[in-house]
Amino acid sequence: MSHIYQPVMLKVLLENYGEASVDQIASALLTYDQSQVEYYGTRTKQMVGKVLTKNGVVEPIKSGRATKGYRLNSEALTEAQRASLIVKCDNSISDYLDKRGDRIWQHRASESGYVSGSTRYNVLKRAKYRCELCGAHESQIALHVDHIVPRSKGGPDDLSNFQALCQTCNTNKRAEDDTNFRGVLNSYRHREVGCIFCELEAERIISENELCVAIKDAFPVTDHHTLIIPKRHVSDYFELYQPERNAIDQMLHEQRQSILGQDDKVTGFNVGINAGASAGQTVFHVHVHLIPRRKDDVEDPRGGVRGVIPTKQDYLRENRPPSPLDY
Ligand code: 5GP
Ligand code: ZN
């Protein structure tokens, strides 16, 4: 068993004497999805719990300053009173649903913490269902999908502004958020005076997402040679944060599509990073080269990036076992 799915589904079937609707099974799975439970926990405390408390219908159950639950402010109810009030609640829920349908959930789309199902799916798929900080797999621990720069601080709903974190890393991040949240966000904003890639003029930027930009190389190796550059000033590729790698990867795919759409002679690409002066880096702000290649643009392209050491580019020529034709 690699997940809780099977026992949850079997439990629902057993509890319902062998048969259950897809909605029943999905609802049961949902109750184990900690990120959803947390989401509605926040809704409860910030919205409905507040209103019902203010109106004197319930009172919060506190543990220190934290609200752990709610208690009805009523005399002891008889079983009949309880049953009749439950029916009243049910009626009022179905009246509201009849009147407003799915529109009642629309407000979530504009809320700061809300992450749609399809975004969750895409972010988790991109992260290969692993925490993007510690690498834990979804089968080991619940994964949360969160905005990197929160909506409330101007972060967009673009895929490049999301990350998948396990419960532990997310909790640590939040603990840090309270004390040092600005520090975390500010590190993404770090720019260095005098760095050509930190001070790019807006018109040079052909595309951008939350964490990186794309520009045309000023001295292109081939037509449409493009550079993908993280916004944060960081010199070494290996110092990038995982969300920046994701953003760069997303931009590489986008730019590849764009180049293919503009030039039907392009049949391949070299994707390369020079990390360190000895590896050829000349601008010390990370950038990924996306170099379009066309058939016959050089006499013998074999080996591609191996050409960083020109005499070693074609290993086939050097290492091919001897054949009778060689003699
Ligand atoms: P590196 O040698 O660090 O891997 O790559 C630096 C790249 O930046 C080179 O391909 C070079 O052509 C490009 N480059 C250098 N100066 C500028 C500039 O001012 N604007 C742009 N767009 N590219 C530059
Ligand atoms: Zn820079």
Side-chain angles (χ1 to χ4, degrees), residues 272-287:
I273 301 144
N274 298 326
S278 51
Q281 187 169 0
T282 59
V283 176
F284 290 87
H285 177 141
V286 179
H287 48 280

Side-chain angles (χ1 to χ4, degrees), residues 196 204 215-219 227 274 280-283 287 289:
I196 57 167
R204 305 285 317 278
I215 64 170
K216 291 289 181 205
D217 195 295
F219 309 99
L227 300 176
N274 298 326
Q281 187 169 0
T282 59
V283 176
H287 48 280
H289 294 262

Side-chain angles (χ1 to χ4, degrees), residues 34 37-38 40-42 44-46 49 53 58-72:
Q34 198 53 34
V37 173
E38 269 175 28
Y40 283 106
T42 308
T44 304
K45 286 186 277 184
Q46 289 180 353
T53 304
V58 301
E59 63 174 3
I61 303 169
K62 295 278 192 185
S63 165
R65 290 181 57 197
T67 298
K68 292 289 173 204
Y70 291 90
R71 186 181 297 115
L72 275 174

Side-chain angles (χ1 to χ4, degrees), residues 31 275 299:
T31 60
E299 199 179 313

